[in-house]
Amino acid sequence: MKKEYVLAFSSFYKASYAQEKLAEHGIRAAVRKLPPELMKSCGYALYLSTSSIQSVADILERDEIEFRGAYEIGDMGGKNAYKRVL
């Protein structure tokens, strides 16, 4: 079962590069600003839907792309709730 995730990055460049590398593996992701609930500083994120966030993390690790955290997106009374998973 696929779930929605947010992967946090420190810059637009890093998020965009990660998006390109994931696309090479057939994984679609969208680059957007990081929700302020997750980080106090500016940042960008990849939003994606996958059945295995660990396989996404493994791809990024192989390509030496660091991210600040992975969060599962849930629903809390009609508002997004984020749970850190990596």
Side-chain angles (χ1 to χ4, degrees):
M1 182 172 108
K2 288 189 174 188
K3 295 182 182 177
E4 292 186 28
Y5 295 93
V6 174
L7 272 70
F9 293 88
S10 59
S11 71
F12 176 81
Y13 170 77
K14 287 182 181 180
S16 183
Y17 183 60
Q19 180 188 34
E20 289 176 22
K21 288 299 182 179
L22 292 175
E24 290 174 7
H25 294 274
I27 300 170
R28 294 179 53 202
V31 177
R32 288 189 260 169
K33 284 200 154 242
L34 190 61
E37 303 94 323
L38 297 182
M39 300 269 173
K40 298 289 184 215
S41 63
C42 290
Y44 284 86
L46 284 183
Y47 289 76
L48 57 102
S49 181
T50 183
S51 55
S52 173
I53 193 64
Q54 187 60 54
S55 64
V56 170
D58 292 344
I59 291 168
L60 296 177
E61 185 178 326
R62 269 183 264 143
D63 288 319
E64 298 179 0
I65 300 171
E66 293 183 22
F67 57 95
R68 291 181 167 186
Y71 302 84
E72 183 179 331
I73 303 172
D75 181 46
M76 182 182 269
K79 189 175 181 183
N80 283 342
Y82 303 95
K83 175 183 167 189
R84 187 173 183 133
V85 292
L86 294 176

